[in-house]
Amino acid sequence: MAGMADIRNIVILTGAGVSAESGIDTFRSEGGLWEQHRVEDVATPEGFARDPDLVLRFYDMRREAIQTKQPNAAHDALAKLDEAWNGELLIVTQNVDDLHERAGAERVLHMHGTHLNAWCTACDVRSPWTGTLIERPPCPACDSRALRPDVVWFGEMPYQMEEIYGALRQADLFVSIGTSGAVYPAAGLVRDARELGLQTLELNLEPSQGSRWFASSRHGPATQIVPEWVEEILS
Ligand code: BJW
C-alpha cells in the first residue's frame, strides 16, 4: 500500500467474515443464516411483532452458540494492533458477537448492537444478558417482561453513527474486513472515506459487492490476511 508511513489514524470496519473461522455463521454465504431464515421474519421490527417466539428463539440459539466460540487469529491480530497503535484507532464492528473484546481489543464499537445485551422496550435500559429471552424474563431494571435482543434490525437506526463519522473525519486509512458490503449505512462508509481523502483497503475472502470502491484489496481467509496486514502496518 502506498504511503503507509503517513498513516496515523485508522478506522476498521469488520463483518461476519472475521468471525467465520471461529465457527460463527455468516449471513449471506452458502449455508449462511439467511438461507435458513427469511430476513423479513427474523431481522425486522415487523417480523418480531408478527412472531416474537420465532425471533426470540433465533437469537437465543445464536446467543448460546457464540458463548462456545473463541476468537481467531484475525481477532487476535486486530487486538494486537489496537494495543500497539499510538494514533487513533476505532474498530467499528457490525458483528453482534464479543470476539473482538475477548481477543483483547478495547477500541471497539458495535454498530449493529450485541447479542450479550437485552434491551427493555418498557424502560429503555440495556442489561448484560447471557441466558435466554424466550420465557419472557423480567427486566432487571423495571421488572417488565418486555426484553428484546439489543441488535439493530432492518429499518432501525444503527448505533453510534456520529462517533463513526467523527472517527472517519479524523482518519487517514479505512480498512474493511470480512463484510459483503450489502447492508447500509456500513456499506457506504468506504465511499464516505474516499470523499474525505482516506486511503481505503479491503480484506475479504473474495471481492465484495463494494470492492470497486476500495483503492486496494486483498483476498483470502481473514485468519491469514489480517495477521499479515497487521504485521506490515506495525513494522
Ligand atoms: C470472509 C470469510 C473469511 C466469509 N475470511 N472473509 C436500498 C438502498 C440502500 C439502503 C437501503 C435500501 N433499502 C433499505 C435500506 C436500508 C437497509 C439496507 O441496507 N438494506 C439493504 C438490504 C439494501 N439498512 C437498514 O435498514 C439499516 N438502518 C438504516 O439504514 O437506518 C437509516 C440510516 C441511514 C443512514 C445513516 C443512519 C441511519 C439497519 C441495518 C441493520 C442490519 N442488521 C443485521 C442483523 C443484526 C442482528 C443479527 O445479527 O441478526 O446486521 S443484517 C446482517 O447484515 C447483520 C450484519 O451485521 C449485516 C452485514 O453482514 P456482513 O457482516 O457483511 O455479513 P455477510 O454474510 O453479508 O458477509 C460476510 C462476508 O465475509 C462475505 O463477503 C464473505 O465473502 C466474507 N467471508 N468467510 C474473510 N474466513
Side-chain angles (χ1 to χ4, degrees):
M1 236 175 104
M4 214 138 75
D6 304 329
I7 293 163
R8 178 141 184 86
N9 300 333
I10 309 175
V11 172
I12 300 169
L13 173 72
T14 68
V18 167
S19 296
E21 290 164 85
S22 292
I24 298 180
D25 290 337
T26 63
F27 294 91
R28 295 169 182 80
S29 325
E30 216 174 289
L33 287 164
W34 296 157
E35 264 189 7
Q36 302 148 42
H37 300 272
R38 280 162 34 110
V39 182
E40 314 84 81
D41 289 341
V42 292
T44 63
E46 294 79 14
F48 183 51
R50 241 186 345 258
D51 191 347
D53 279 10
L54 174 81
V55 176
L56 292 175
R57 223 175 276 118
F58 175 67
Y59 285 95
D60 281 355
M61 197 185 66
R62 290 173 53 203
R63 191 180 310 102
E64 191 185 348
I66 62 161
Q67 295 176 67
T68 68
K69 311 296 181 192
Q70 301 306 325
N72 64 46
H75 300 104
D76 291 343
L78 292 175
K80 178 176 169 190
L81 179 62
D82 176 33
E83 196 186 358
W85 194 254
N86 287 325
E88 297 292 330
L89 179 147
L90 182 64
I91 299 172
V92 176
T93 188
Q94 298 169 84
N95 297 344
V96 293
D97 66 54
D98 63 340
L99 296 186
H100 284 305
E101 287 89 343
R102 278 201 265 145
E106 289 178 0
R107 294 179 275 182
V108 183
L109 179 161
H110 283 266
M111 69 180 294
H112 291 162
T114 158
H115 272 325
L116 296 169
N117 274 348
W119 173 23
C120 180
T121 56
C123 73
D124 202 32
V125 167
R126 291 169 163 85
S127 306
W129 206 266
T130 51
T132 55
L133 292 173
I134 187 74
E135 72 283 14
R136 310 303 198 277
C139 166
C142 78
D143 249 11
S144 299
R145 295 182 182 273
L147 295 172
R148 60 160 272 188
D150 187 15
V151 300
V152 178
W153 287 322
F154 285 104
E156 296 182 325
M157 183 67 87
Y159 297 157
Q160 295 175 278
M161 291 309 300
E162 282 310 310
E163 284 86 341
I164 296 171
Y165 290 129
L168 214 54
R169 280 194 292 272
Q170 303 301 319
D172 311 297
L173 171 66
F174 173 75
V175 187
S176 169
I177 308 177
T179 174
S180 61
V183 175
Y184 288 83
L189 291 176
V190 59
R191 274 174 272 179
D192 300 326
R194 283 182 76 115
E195 275 170 27
L196 289 164
L198 276 64
Q199 296 190 36
T200 54
L201 168 68
E202 172 173 77
L203 304 176
N204 205 53
L205 190 59
E206 60 204 358
S208 74
Q209 288 187 31
S211 268
R212 67 181 184 285
W213 296 102
F214 290 86
S216 50
S217 298
R218 300 181 189 182
H219 301 130
T223 55
Q224 193 184 315
I225 60 177
V226 177
E228 281 169 10
W229 170 69
V230 168
E231 286 308 317
E232 257 173 61
I233 195 159
L234 285 179
S235 66

